[in-house]
mmCIF file of all heavy atoms in Angstrom:
data_model
loop_
_atom_site.group_PDB
_atom_site.id
_atom_site.type_symbol
_atom_site.label_atom_id
_atom_site.label_comp_id
_atom_site.label_asym_id
_atom_site.label_seq_id
_atom_site.Cartn_x
_atom_site.Cartn_y
_atom_site.Cartn_z
ATOM 1 N N GLU D 285 -58.563 -20.505 -64.011
ATOM 2 C CA GLU D 285 -57.349 -20.047 -63.267
ATOM 3 C C GLU D 285 -56.887 -21.128 -62.310
ATOM 4 O O GLU D 285 -55.727 -21.323 -62.077
ATOM 5 C CB GLU D 285 -57.688 -18.754 -62.503
ATOM 6 C CG GLU D 285 -56.605 -18.271 -61.551
ATOM 7 C CD GLU D 285 -55.193 -18.122 -62.195
ATOM 8 O OE1 GLU D 285 -55.100 -17.848 -63.410
ATOM 9 O OE2 GLU D 285 -54.257 -18.294 -61.462
ATOM 10 N N ASP D 286 -57.861 -21.911 -61.729
ATOM 11 C CA ASP D 286 -57.485 -22.929 -60.710
ATOM 12 C C ASP D 286 -57.419 -24.341 -61.256
ATOM 13 O O ASP D 286 -57.427 -25.303 -60.500
ATOM 14 C CB ASP D 286 -58.427 -22.819 -59.506
ATOM 15 C CG ASP D 286 -59.860 -23.086 -59.955
ATOM 16 O OD1 ASP D 286 -60.080 -23.200 -61.234
ATOM 17 O OD2 ASP D 286 -60.739 -23.265 -59.140
ATOM 18 N N ARG D 287 -57.335 -24.452 -62.615
ATOM 19 C CA ARG D 287 -57.302 -25.801 -63.165
ATOM 20 C C ARG D 287 -56.119 -26.639 -62.619
ATOM 21 O O ARG D 287 -56.321 -27.826 -62.339
ATOM 22 C CB ARG D 287 -57.213 -25.726 -64.694
ATOM 23 C CG ARG D 287 -56.978 -27.002 -65.425
ATOM 24 C CD ARG D 287 -58.194 -27.942 -65.289
ATOM 25 N NE ARG D 287 -57.921 -29.232 -65.876
ATOM 26 C CZ ARG D 287 -57.289 -30.266 -65.256
ATOM 27 N NH1 ARG D 287 -56.859 -30.086 -63.996
ATOM 28 N NH2 ARG D 287 -57.116 -31.381 -65.883
ATOM 29 N N PHE D 288 -54.954 -26.084 -62.495
ATOM 30 C CA PHE D 288 -53.853 -26.815 -61.926
ATOM 31 C C PHE D 288 -53.328 -26.098 -60.699
ATOM 32 O O PHE D 288 -52.283 -25.477 -60.740
ATOM 33 C CB PHE D 288 -52.732 -26.934 -62.981
ATOM 34 C CG PHE D 288 -53.085 -27.799 -64.132
ATOM 35 C CD1 PHE D 288 -53.435 -27.203 -65.362
ATOM 36 C CD2 PHE D 288 -53.151 -29.170 -64.064
ATOM 37 C CE1 PHE D 288 -53.774 -28.021 -66.507
ATOM 38 C CE2 PHE D 288 -53.500 -29.968 -65.155
ATOM 39 C CZ PHE D 288 -53.802 -29.378 -66.354
ATOM 40 N N SER D 289 -54.095 -26.145 -59.600
ATOM 41 C CA SER D 289 -53.754 -25.327 -58.479
ATOM 42 C C SER D 289 -53.025 -26.079 -57.340
ATOM 43 O O SER D 289 -52.597 -25.492 -56.355
ATOM 44 C CB SER D 289 -55.007 -24.695 -57.916
ATOM 45 O OG SER D 289 -55.919 -25.686 -57.573
ATOM 46 N N THR D 290 -52.902 -27.402 -57.501
ATOM 47 C CA THR D 290 -52.216 -28.199 -56.448
ATOM 48 C C THR D 290 -51.164 -29.118 -57.075
ATOM 49 O O THR D 290 -51.198 -29.466 -58.206
ATOM 50 C CB THR D 290 -53.207 -29.048 -55.686
ATOM 51 O OG1 THR D 290 -53.920 -29.910 -56.622
ATOM 52 C CG2 THR D 290 -54.261 -28.231 -54.929
ATOM 53 N N LEU D 291 -50.249 -29.485 -56.162
ATOM 54 C CA LEU D 291 -49.269 -30.593 -56.510
ATOM 55 C C LEU D 291 -49.714 -31.820 -55.771
ATOM 56 O O LEU D 291 -50.253 -31.754 -54.672
ATOM 57 C CB LEU D 291 -47.879 -30.186 -56.015
ATOM 58 C CG LEU D 291 -47.208 -28.962 -56.671
ATOM 59 C CD1 LEU D 291 -45.945 -28.584 -55.945
ATOM 60 C CD2 LEU D 291 -46.981 -29.220 -58.166
ATOM 61 N N ARG D 292 -49.458 -32.968 -56.395
ATOM 62 C CA ARG D 292 -49.772 -34.180 -55.668
ATOM 63 C C ARG D 292 -48.459 -34.796 -55.196
ATOM 64 O O ARG D 292 -47.627 -35.138 -56.025
ATOM 65 C CB ARG D 292 -50.525 -35.172 -56.582
ATOM 66 C CG ARG D 292 -50.934 -36.437 -55.823
ATOM 67 C CD ARG D 292 -51.363 -37.488 -56.783
ATOM 68 N NE ARG D 292 -51.903 -38.656 -56.047
ATOM 69 C CZ ARG D 292 -51.610 -39.894 -56.378
ATOM 70 N NH1 ARG D 292 -50.775 -40.124 -57.376
ATOM 71 N NH2 ARG D 292 -52.106 -40.880 -55.699
ATOM 72 N N ILE D 293 -48.318 -34.833 -53.880
ATOM 73 C CA ILE D 293 -47.121 -35.375 -53.327
ATOM 74 C C ILE D 293 -47.501 -36.532 -52.447
ATOM 75 O O ILE D 293 -48.164 -36.333 -51.456
ATOM 76 C CB ILE D 293 -46.327 -34.286 -52.529
ATOM 77 C CG1 ILE D 293 -45.913 -33.164 -53.553
ATOM 78 C CG2 ILE D 293 -45.069 -34.878 -51.844
ATOM 79 C CD1 ILE D 293 -45.209 -31.991 -52.882
ATOM 80 N N GLY D 294 -47.096 -37.743 -52.761
ATOM 81 C CA GLY D 294 -47.567 -38.946 -52.050
ATOM 82 C C GLY D 294 -49.054 -38.991 -52.218
ATOM 83 O O GLY D 294 -49.560 -38.893 -53.336
ATOM 84 N N ASN D 295 -49.794 -39.123 -51.075
ATOM 85 C CA ASN D 295 -51.252 -39.159 -51.179
ATOM 86 C C ASN D 295 -51.858 -37.782 -51.003
ATOM 87 O O ASN D 295 -53.117 -37.666 -51.096
ATOM 88 C CB ASN D 295 -51.804 -40.080 -50.066
ATOM 89 C CG ASN D 295 -51.793 -41.529 -50.498
ATOM 90 O OD1 ASN D 295 -52.148 -41.828 -51.633
ATOM 91 N ND2 ASN D 295 -51.294 -42.413 -49.669
ATOM 92 N N ALA D 296 -51.044 -36.793 -50.781
ATOM 93 C CA ALA D 296 -51.607 -35.456 -50.430
ATOM 94 C C ALA D 296 -51.667 -34.534 -51.623
ATOM 95 O O ALA D 296 -50.838 -34.633 -52.557
ATOM 96 C CB ALA D 296 -50.756 -34.843 -49.338
ATOM 97 N N ARG D 297 -52.649 -33.697 -51.635
ATOM 98 C CA ARG D 297 -52.707 -32.580 -52.586
ATOM 99 C C ARG D 297 -52.254 -31.350 -51.897
ATOM 100 O O ARG D 297 -52.831 -30.964 -50.844
ATOM 101 C CB ARG D 297 -54.149 -32.362 -53.078
ATOM 102 C CG ARG D 297 -54.617 -33.534 -53.910
ATOM 103 C CD ARG D 297 -55.690 -32.998 -54.937
ATOM 104 N NE ARG D 297 -55.903 -34.079 -55.891
ATOM 105 C CZ ARG D 297 -55.122 -34.358 -56.901
ATOM 106 N NH1 ARG D 297 -54.074 -33.585 -57.167
ATOM 107 N NH2 ARG D 297 -55.348 -35.358 -57.688
ATOM 108 N N ILE D 298 -51.285 -30.679 -52.452
ATOM 109 C CA ILE D 298 -50.607 -29.559 -51.760
ATOM 110 C C ILE D 298 -50.864 -28.284 -52.503
ATOM 111 O O ILE D 298 -50.648 -28.193 -53.727
ATOM 112 C CB ILE D 298 -49.078 -29.773 -51.698
ATOM 113 C CG1 ILE D 298 -48.786 -31.190 -51.146
ATOM 114 C CG2 ILE D 298 -48.446 -28.643 -50.888
ATOM 115 C CD1 ILE D 298 -48.744 -31.352 -49.685
ATOM 116 N N ARG D 299 -51.275 -27.263 -51.767
ATOM 117 C CA ARG D 299 -51.405 -25.908 -52.372
ATOM 118 C C ARG D 299 -50.170 -25.111 -51.970
ATOM 119 O O ARG D 299 -49.860 -25.081 -50.750
ATOM 120 C CB ARG D 299 -52.674 -25.240 -51.835
ATOM 121 C CG ARG D 299 -53.368 -24.341 -52.794
ATOM 122 C CD ARG D 299 -54.737 -23.894 -52.227
ATOM 123 N NE ARG D 299 -55.806 -24.726 -52.782
ATOM 124 C CZ ARG D 299 -56.359 -24.502 -53.948
ATOM 125 N NH1 ARG D 299 -55.939 -23.498 -54.715
ATOM 126 N NH2 ARG D 299 -57.350 -25.252 -54.408
ATOM 127 N N THR D 300 -49.438 -24.533 -52.877
ATOM 128 C CA THR D 300 -48.214 -23.828 -52.549
ATOM 129 C C THR D 300 -48.548 -22.365 -52.325
ATOM 130 O O THR D 300 -49.571 -21.849 -52.838
ATOM 131 C CB THR D 300 -47.156 -23.951 -53.651
ATOM 132 O OG1 THR D 300 -47.699 -23.355 -54.917
ATOM 133 C CG2 THR D 300 -46.844 -25.418 -53.936
#
Side-chain angles (χ1 to χ4, degrees):
E285 174 53 31
D286 59 351
R287 171 65 186 86
F288 293 104
S289 58
T290 56
L291 295 172
R292 185 191 185 224
I293 298 177
N295 275 316
R297 291 209 169 280
I298 311 275
R299 212 170 263 279
T300 61

